[in-house]
């Protein structure tokens, strides 16, 4: 029910998913001049891919998303809004927020068939309150944003945070919820929070690591609602379902619902990934936890990789285990880190729904290519990754990939093309990373990858 403050998968130290809270000085080069940054770029046309697995697998995912919570407890009944959903915004919206909200509401109406509209009154089904990151962290220290039932403001949540009314496990109907979003971070972070938290306000409460193609996953791989997510939300508001139904009652109706909503899933092979044991999730989360020491995090990352190996996984979760190890080792043991990145790539190749995962691995591998002067190899890796980042609307990743592409083009002597690509990267970087000084620092860090004299 909240998005973590630490992005689960960053791309090197040079490609973190959000700007840091406090300013640090950007790396500098001799004679470096301040950049004249272009306008912020934004995504205009969503390109969600439909789910690529069977309806039987989707039904299992639907039930686990709606009838379980992240801690492992189960929910006794199905809940959703039973009347048209109204939404209001309070606080001080971030720049560009209205455009993002309108675009998401249009998608929910068109792709998920949900009756949802914005209102300007004093009450609504859902209140989105825009506050500072500091206020969010004071209320929930590990969260970048979050959603709570039965309140309409952060002040009301603080008064009732230990009350049964704000306990998701005790929720029996949805009438009034609040979503708390930051208004002082990058445009992408605000938008990502909006998609994830509003989706959980109106839909499933659980997250599942086994889902490679969903925002309902704590790995934070996806930035915006996917085709799978829209199918889950459309099924959530199917007329055959209603609040109060048991898991068995919902399960009995799902096959017909999914056959109607997703006919392509009827002929697909009925395969699904195995459950994610709590031991792997705990180790993975420990590896990413900012409170632990590096030694403890490395131990946890190795534990996650060992569990994935022992379970015989060959899916994105095993790749994630190696990718995490590579990130942690790339400064201290770069050659070992490279092997982990290559292993992650090998597990991801050919897996449906993992284009964004492969793009993030490509950042790491292209950085190694550039550092060793192999521009041609970097360009080959970056081309499909750039397409994946664009189609998944991840501006932070897209800008990083374009910056890397510019460096690789310069290595190949294609100077004019490199300048065009680098300029293109800056507009996306302003959306993905926010403040101009962060954009400039990112550009400097990537430029520093190239061998001296090249």
């Amino acid at each position: 029910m909240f998005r973590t403050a630490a992005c689960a998968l960053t791309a090197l130290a040079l490609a973190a998913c959000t700007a840091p809270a406090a300013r640090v000085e950007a790396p500098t080069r001799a004679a470096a001049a301040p950049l004249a940054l272009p306008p912020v770029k934004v995504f205009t046309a969503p390109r969600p891919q439909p789910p690529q697995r069977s309806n039987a697998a989707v039904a299992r995912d639907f039930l686990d998303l709606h009838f379980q919570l992240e801690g492992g407890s189960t929910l006794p009944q199905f809940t959703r809004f039973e009347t048209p959903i109204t939404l209001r915004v309070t606080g001080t919206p971030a720049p560009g927020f209205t455009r993002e909200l309108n675009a998401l509401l249009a998608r929910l109406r068109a792709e998920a068939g949900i009756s949802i509209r914005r209102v300007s009154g004093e009450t609504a089904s859902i209140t989105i309150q825009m506050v500072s990151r500091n206020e969010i962290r004071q209320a929930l220290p590990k969260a970048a944003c979050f959603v709570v039932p039965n309140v309409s403001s952060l002040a009301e949540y603080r008064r009732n945070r230990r009350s049964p009314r704000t306990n998701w496990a005790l929720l029996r109907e949805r009438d009034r919820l609040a979503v708390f979003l930051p208004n002082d971070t990058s445009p992408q972070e605000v938008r990502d929070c909006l998609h994830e938290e509003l989706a959980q306000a109106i839909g499933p409460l659980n997250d599942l690591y086994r889902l490679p193609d969903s925002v309902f996953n704590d790995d934070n791989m996806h930035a915006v609602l996917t085709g799978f997510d829209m199918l889950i939300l459309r099924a959530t508001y199917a007329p055959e379902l209603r609040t109060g139904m048991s898991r068995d009652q919902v399960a009995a109706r799902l096959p017909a619902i999914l056959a109607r909503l997703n006919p392509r899933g009827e002929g697909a092979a009925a395969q699904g990934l195995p459950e994610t044991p709590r031991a792997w999730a705990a180790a993975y989360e420990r590896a990413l936890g900012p409170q632990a020491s590096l030694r403890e995090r490395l131990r946890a990352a190795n534990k996650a990789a060992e569990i994935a190996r022992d379970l015989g996984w060959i899916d994105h979760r095993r790749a994630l285990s190696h990718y995490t190890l590579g990130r942690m080792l790339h400064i201290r043991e770069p050659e070992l880190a490279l092997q982990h990145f290559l292993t992650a790539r090998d597990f991801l190749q050919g897996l449906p729904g993992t284009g964004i995962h492969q793009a993030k691995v490509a950042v790491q591998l292209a950085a190694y290519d550039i550092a060793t002067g192999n521009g041609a190899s970097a360009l080959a890796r970056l081309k499909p990754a750039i397409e994946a980042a664009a189609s998944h609307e991840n501006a932070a990743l897209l800008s990083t990939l374009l910056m890397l592409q510019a460096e690789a083009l310069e290595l190949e002597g294609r100077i004019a093309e490199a300048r065009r690509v680098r300029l293109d990267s800056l507009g996306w970087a302003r959306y993905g990373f926010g403040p101009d000084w962060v954009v400039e620092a990112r550009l400097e860090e990537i430029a520093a990858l190239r061998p001296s004299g090249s």
Side-chain angles (χ1 to χ4, degrees), residues 357-372:
H357 305 68
Q358 295 181 54
K360 292 194 176 186
V361 174
V363 168
Q364 310 291 343
L365 297 177
Y368 276 88
D369 289 335
I370 292 167
T372 55

Side-chain angles (χ1 to χ4, degrees), residues 149-213:
N150 300 314
V151 301
S152 297
S153 70
L154 199 55
E156 187 179 4
Y157 168 66
R158 290 193 188 101
R159 293 194 300 269
N160 295 277
R161 63 185 306 169
R162 293 178 177 82
S163 166
R165 64 189 296 187
T166 60
N167 186 337
W168 286 104
L170 301 177
L171 185 68
R172 297 297 177 264
E173 58 184 19
R174 300 195 201 192
D175 296 312
R176 185 168 63 103
L177 293 96
V179 173
F180 304 110
L181 303 182
N183 59 10
D184 56 354
T185 187
S186 72
Q188 178 166 323
E189 179 68 12
V190 175
R191 181 210 60 188
D192 294 0
C193 275
L194 172 64
H195 277 243
E196 183 169 338
E197 302 307 331
L198 186 55
Q200 292 204 300
I202 64 179
L205 303 178
N206 195 16
D207 287 308
L208 297 170
Y209 280 114
R210 72 170 185 257
L211 303 178
D213 55 352

Side-chain angles (χ1 to χ4, degrees), residues 24 42 58 72 97 122 161 175 237 239 259 359 377 388 419 431 435:
V24 296
V42 297
V58 173
F97 176 76
E122 293 297 316
R161 63 185 306 169
D175 296 312
Y237 285 84
S377 178
R419 288 172 180 162
Y431 182 90

Side-chain angles (χ1 to χ4, degrees), residues 1-8 17-19 21 70 131-148 154 157 161 168 178-185 189-190 192-194 196-197 200 207 218 220 289-291:
M1 273 59 75
F2 65 88
R3 185 178 181 88
T4 55
C7 183
C17 55
T18 58
E70 294 175 41
V131 296
S132 69
R133 287 176 294 178
N134 185 53
E135 289 178 275
I136 287 176
R137 289 170 184 169
Q138 286 178 352
L140 206 61
K142 295 182 180 180
C145 44
F146 63 105
V147 56
V148 180
L154 199 55
Y157 168 66
R161 63 185 306 169
W168 286 104
V179 173
F180 304 110
L181 303 182
N183 59 10
D184 56 354
T185 187
E189 179 68 12
V190 175
D192 294 0
C193 275
L194 172 64
E196 183 169 338
E197 302 307 331
Q200 292 204 300
D207 287 308
D218 274 338
N220 287 349
Q291 282 77 32

Side-chain angles (χ1 to χ4, degrees), residues 21 28 30 34 70 128 151 153 188 194 205 213-215 260 262-263 287 314 346 363 371 425 429 441 443 450:
T28 59
E70 294 175 41
I128 295 178
V151 301
S153 70
Q188 178 166 323
L194 172 64
L205 303 178
D213 55 352
S214 175
V215 301
R260 183 181 75 250
N262 187 42
I314 55 172
D346 292 344
V363 168
S425 76
L443 195 63
R450 277 193 295 139

Side-chain angles (χ1 to χ4, degrees), residues 216-237:
F216 299 116
N217 187 329
D218 274 338
D219 65 11
N220 287 349
M221 272 288 178
H222 289 276
V224 298
L225 290 171
T226 67
F228 170 86
D229 299 328
M230 288 297 183
L231 175 60
I232 292 294
L233 290 172
R234 183 176 281 274
T236 297
Y237 285 84

